[in-house]
Amino acid sequence: YSLADPLHIRVRAEQESIGGLLAVATDVETGEERARQTLAPGGDGWHTAELGPLPEGAYRVTAFGEGPVEPVTDLVTVLAD
C-alpha cells in the first residue's frame, strides 16, 4: 500500500459473531495499535471496513469477533512512493 491508500478489509465469518466484527492494524515493530474499525455487514455475508491511511511500516491486520468466531490475521506493508 502507499501512504495515501487506506487498507480495504473484507472478511466473512463462518458463524455469526455475538457483538459484530472488528479489524485492528498493529505496527509489527512496536506492537502499537494504529487503527481500529468495526466491520460493516453486507447483504452477501461479507463484512467490510477501511483502516488508515497508515504511516510507512509493516502492520499485522487482524479481524475478530466475540463468540465462536476464529480471528484471521494478515501482514501488510505501507511504503512511501
Side-chain angles (χ1 to χ4, degrees):
Y1 293 88
S2 77
L3 294 173
D5 295 328
L7 307 180
H8 297 278
I9 312 303
R10 187 171 185 243
V11 300
R12 180 170 23 190
E14 290 180 0
Q15 297 182 343
E16 202 58 37
S17 171
I18 295 170
L21 299 173
L22 292 171
V24 174
T26 305
D27 187 297
V28 171
E29 289 186 28
T30 67
E32 179 183 352
E33 183 179 306
R34 295 300 215 138
R36 175 182 288 253
Q37 187 65 257
T38 300
L39 289 122
D44 57 358
W46 288 92
H47 294 71
T48 60
E50 286 188 5
L51 298 176
L54 298 169
E56 188 171 26
Y59 297 92
R60 183 174 293 111
V61 179
T62 303
F64 61 95
E66 295 180 25
V69 176
E70 293 285 330
V72 61
T73 300
D74 202 357
L75 295 174
V76 298
T77 304
V78 177
L79 300 172
D81 294 331

